[in-house]
Amino acid sequence: MDIKYYHYTPKYRLEEIIESGEIKLANASVYAPKEKACAWVSTNSHWEHTATKSLRDKSGNIKTLTFAEQLDILGCTRIQVKPIGLTHWGKIKHLAKMDLEHAKRMENVGLVKGASPKEWFGSLVPIKKENWIKAEIYRNGEWVEYKVFN
């Protein structure tokens, strides 16, 4: 079986990522002072549930969107990347010097959202365009090719 690796993102971010030429490190997820940021990908072939965003409702409450809401409000896109420089979650959390209690909370939040840490991979350096395969947009119940990279 051929394992595929995807970086999932809302539609509004796709062109920004393509124009920048790299999947940047996720600094916002860095918790501890010595922790290194990572670029994240997943082997989930439908959708990485931790990529689903949360929004504030009219009352100011934070609500995590469902996949259908994310698709309708923000769009769902992904970039398939080559398996170069990717490290499985079980090892990357140590290489990135993550606080292990925080890493466990990330796992638990992921599980509650329907994700599986077994599908998580990271890179300690940005994932450059030369290591991308293609970008896709989710439309009408399937992933549709948006752009192919050489």
Side-chain angles (χ1 to χ4, degrees):
M1 186 170 100
D2 188 27
I3 298 174
K4 295 179 180 173
Y5 301 84
Y6 303 99
H7 175 75
Y8 289 94
T9 192
K11 187 176 179 189
Y12 70 88
R13 295 249 320 142
L14 183 61
E15 276 303 320
E16 177 187 322
I17 293 169
I18 292 171
E19 287 175 23
S20 77
E22 64 182 20
I23 297 168
K24 292 181 170 49
L25 303 178
N27 292 316
S29 65
V30 173
Y31 176 77
K34 294 183 180 182
E35 182 179 340
K36 298 175 186 174
C38 296
W40 296 107
V41 299
S42 173
T43 58
N44 187 308
S45 62
H46 178 66
W47 178 253
E48 171 51 51
H49 295 287
T50 59
T52 306
K53 301 299 181 195
S54 297
L55 297 177
R56 289 193 187 277
D57 65 17
K58 292 175 184 170
S59 304
N61 300 313
I62 295 175
K63 177 191 185 304
T64 299
L65 301 175
T66 64
F67 177 76
E69 291 168 332
Q70 168 102 11
L71 184 60
D72 183 51
I73 299 168
L74 302 173
C76 298
T77 67
R78 67 184 184 186
I79 298 173
Q80 184 182 351
V81 302
K82 297 173 186 173
I84 297 170
L86 302 178
T87 304
H88 187 266
W89 168 253
K91 188 173 181 182
I92 195 82
K93 63 186 175 184
H94 298 288
L95 293 175
K97 298 180 175 18
M98 291 179 121
D99 175 271
L100 296 182
E101 287 181 28
H102 179 67
K104 188 65 179 166
R105 284 193 298 275
M106 287 175 65
E107 290 172 10
N108 290 336
V109 167
L111 291 168
V112 166
K113 288 184 168 190
S116 172
K118 293 177 183 175
E119 298 172 332
W120 299 348
F121 289 77
S123 171
L124 293 174
V125 296
I127 303 170
K128 302 285 186 187
K129 191 181 274 188
E130 57 261 24
N131 291 323
W132 301 355
I133 297 169
K134 64 183 171 181
E136 298 173 308
I137 296 178
Y138 198 81
R139 282 197 191 120
N140 302 318
E142 65 182 350
W143 288 102
V144 178
E145 193 173 277
Y146 178 74
K147 189 167 188 170
V148 175
F149 306 97
N150 293 331

